[in-house]
Amino acid sequence: MQTTPTPLPGLPAPIAGYFEHQTTSPAAVARCFTDDALVVDERQAHRGRAAIEVWNAATSSTYKLSTELLAAEVDGPRTTVRAKVTGSFPGSPIELRFRFTLTEGLITRLEIAP
C-alpha cells in the first residue's frame, strides 16, 4: 500500500512537494524539478522533467513504495533527507538518503542512495 509521508518541519517547498506526491502523481513530482534537472537512482540517470515523470511513475507502480521521513539536514542549496523506504523490492525496508540540490525554488538534482 502506498502512503504519503508526514512532512518534516522546515523542508523547502519543492522537496516537501516531492515527498507529498511521490506515490500519487508523477506529473506533480516532475513539476518540483527544473526543466533540465537530473535524478540519479539505482545508478541510473534521468534528465529533464519528462524523464523524471516517467521514472517516478515506473518506480511507484513497480515497487509500491511507502516512505517514512526520518530526518533532514539543510545546508544552503543542498538538503539531505533520511528516509525508511518500504516496498516490493529485495531488502525492504531500507534506509535511503535523498540528496537534493535546489536552484531558484526548484530541484535541480536528486541523488538517492543508501
Side-chain angles (χ1 to χ4, degrees), residues 16-112:
Y18 169 84
F19 285 112
E20 179 182 346
H21 300 293
Q22 180 185 28
T23 60
T24 60
S25 176
V29 165
R31 287 191 297 273
C32 297
F33 290 83
T34 60
D35 289 337
D36 63 344
L38 175 67
V39 171
V40 179
D41 182 31
E42 298 182 304
R43 291 180 268 226
Q44 298 292 314
H46 312 275
R47 184 170 295 279
R49 282 186 175 156
I52 291 168
E53 183 174 346
V54 168
W55 159 78
N56 180 255
T59 301
S60 295
S61 66
T62 301
Y63 298 119
K64 311 296 183 226
L65 300 175
S66 173
T67 305
E68 177 186 352
L69 303 183
L70 302 172
E73 185 177 310
V74 178
D75 182 17
R78 293 184 180 84
T79 300
T80 300
V81 176
R82 253 186 338 103
K84 183 170 94 174
V85 179
T86 304
S88 58
F89 55 87
S92 176
I94 187 170
E95 188 172 304
L96 295 174
R97 284 181 169 60
F98 294 75
R99 293 178 180 97
F100 295 90
T101 303
L102 300 177
T103 302
E104 298 181 9
L106 291 172
I107 302 165
T108 56
R109 184 176 181 93
L110 168 59
E111 293 179 55
I112 304 171

